[in-house]
Amino acid sequence: MTALLAAALMLLGSPPVHPQREWRLGGGFTAVAFTRDEFAGGFVATRTLEIRRSGKALVRFSSRDEGLGVQAADVTGDGVRDLLVLNYQDGSAACGGYRLYGGPDFHELWVRHECADTGVVRILHGDLIAWTAVLSSKTAASGTYPHCCWRSWRQTTWQWQDGRLRATSNKPAHQPLPSYQDRLLPGTLSIR
């Protein structure tokens, strides 16, 4: 059956590309996210984010994953919205890689791998903020379940200063949003 399906896909050619979302960032920049599915109805697909200026592609990030979340906000202070991107890889901890794209030529400014039960990243008020779980309160009642009970968190703030991203504060914090689905970036689970 698998060989038959593979042969049919070869005859049909490349799988279709499905444009999903577009962001107007300012300064002639736009970002477009699109998906190329290997098998209809599947969650795993090749998702691509392309950043363009006046229609010309400057940056292309592509990953085979289960979701692509994007938050657009100005971090660099140049009046153009920068992009925080999460390529959601799934797993019980909701893990993936965060990337911040920005600056004059929209290059990759910051990269970090996090799992939603122990790390959350957002742009708030022009700052890049990351929450990291640092102390667990596992009990006998929680059993062997690996994703619970974080009681202490740290919040690190990055700001754009002197042409680069700098960590400007690292302090104890309250737990971020309680649901891992709320911790993912907007649109992460809706792009198919």
Side-chain angles (χ1 to χ4, degrees):
M1 179 70 166
T2 304
L4 182 60
L5 181 59
L9 287 174
M10 285 177 61
L11 289 173
L12 294 173
S14 297
V17 173
H18 305 286
Q20 298 293 321
R21 295 180 283 172
E22 183 174 331
W23 297 264
R24 298 202 184 285
L25 305 173
F29 292 98
T30 58
V32 178
F34 51 93
T35 303
R36 182 181 297 273
D37 287 326
E38 286 196 358
F39 298 103
F43 289 105
V44 175
T46 301
R47 290 176 177 78
T48 301
L49 177 76
E50 191 171 271
I51 301 169
R52 303 171 180 168
R53 183 163 198 182
S54 304
K56 180 182 176 191
L58 300 176
V59 174
R60 177 179 279 186
F61 170 78
S62 191
S63 178
R64 185 165 167 73
D65 54 31
E66 290 203 13
L68 182 70
V70 176
Q71 183 185 8
D74 187 6
V75 173
T76 58
D78 60 2
V80 176
R81 295 189 305 163
D82 306 300
L83 292 176
L84 179 61
V85 179
L86 168 63
N87 64 307
Y88 173 65
Q89 299 291 326
D90 192 30
S92 62
C95 298
Y98 287 92
R99 288 172 166 72
L100 178 67
Y101 293 99
D105 58 352
F106 260 96
H107 62 281
E108 191 175 79
L109 300 173
W110 184 88
V111 178
R112 184 175 185 149
H113 184 81
E114 289 289 355
C115 296
D117 63 340
T118 58
V120 180
V121 182
R122 288 280 188 288
I123 298 172
L124 296 174
H125 311 292
D127 297 334
L128 183 66
I129 310 287
W131 291 266
T132 306
V134 293
L135 185 59
S136 172
S137 60
K138 298 265 309 162
T139 64
S142 65
T144 60
Y145 186 69
H147 310 299
C148 79
C149 314
W150 294 101
R151 66 178 185 175
S152 294
W153 291 78
R154 293 205 62 81
Q155 177 182 317
T156 305
T157 301
W158 282 269
Q159 296 177 326
W160 189 256
Q161 296 178 349
D162 300 322
R164 68 184 190 121
L165 206 57
R166 298 176 188 264
T168 57
S169 110
N170 186 353
K171 61 186 179 185
H174 294 288
Q175 176 179 341
L177 300 166
S179 163
Y180 84 89
Q181 289 182 334
D182 293 333
R183 292 178 182 180
L184 301 175
L185 288 178
T188 299
L189 300 177
S190 63
I191 256 191
R192 289 206 35 174

